[in-house]
Amino acid sequence: MTEKTALTPPTHAAPPAAFSHGVRKGNILQVAGQVAFLPAEEGRPRAVAGPGLREQTLQTLANVKAVLTEGGASWDDVMMIRVCLTDTAHFAELNEVYDAYFAGQALTQPPAARTTVYVGLPPGLLVEIDALAVLG
């Protein structure tokens, strides 16, 4: 039986409840929904990357990548990305930022993706992204 390993990159604060930033079991890695919090610094409260969708999306993708790296994965291992936005008006800007970000990555094939609108994020947060990776 393959052991399940909880993942918390050094850039992330410990989760505030009984969940993990990511979990790897065998060659499967699930990245939990990440938001635009800047890297954790001891003694400093959590801060959001900025008020706009662009900076929040880039930081959120960096946070997803940090969990992937912690679990031994890369964007090439990602099979599925799910994006939650808080406003339908952000779809076009999200697509622009997302396309530009992944144009800079060395992907052999892009992952499947799904975007939905969700109103349950904490105030000030505009986007949440999770990912499913299969290694090897």
Side-chain angles (χ1 to χ4, degrees):
M1 201 72 174
T2 305
E3 187 175 319
K4 182 170 76 171
T5 303
L7 305 169
T8 298
T11 55
H12 287 50
F19 62 86
S20 301
H21 291 291
V23 175
R24 180 171 176 180
K25 184 169 183 174
N27 68 337
I28 306 293
L29 191 161
Q30 176 65 55
V31 178
Q34 300 293 301
V35 293
F37 289 129
L38 293 167
E41 289 184 24
E42 192 169 329
R44 187 188 80 180
R46 293 192 309 185
V48 177
L53 183 70
R54 183 180 196 294
E55 57 264 12
Q56 286 197 25
T57 301
L58 292 173
Q59 184 61 52
T60 302
L61 288 166
N63 292 342
V64 171
K65 185 176 181 179
V67 179
L68 290 170
T69 301
E70 185 72 13
S74 71
W75 286 117
D76 251 346
D77 299 308
V78 173
M79 302 296 293
M80 179 69 177
I81 293 177
R82 288 173 292 267
V83 178
C84 295
L85 293 173
T86 58
D87 189 335
T88 57
H90 292 153
F91 273 106
E93 185 179 3
L94 170 78
N95 286 337
E96 287 176 21
V97 174
Y98 182 94
D99 286 347
Y101 177 86
F102 282 107
Q105 304 298 312
L107 289 177
T108 55
Q109 297 292 323
R114 174 177 169 234
T115 303
T116 59
V117 176
Y118 174 67
V119 294
L121 291 177
L125 293 171
L126 305 174
V127 61
E128 178 181 83
I129 300 174
D130 72 73
L132 174 66
V134 178
L135 292 78

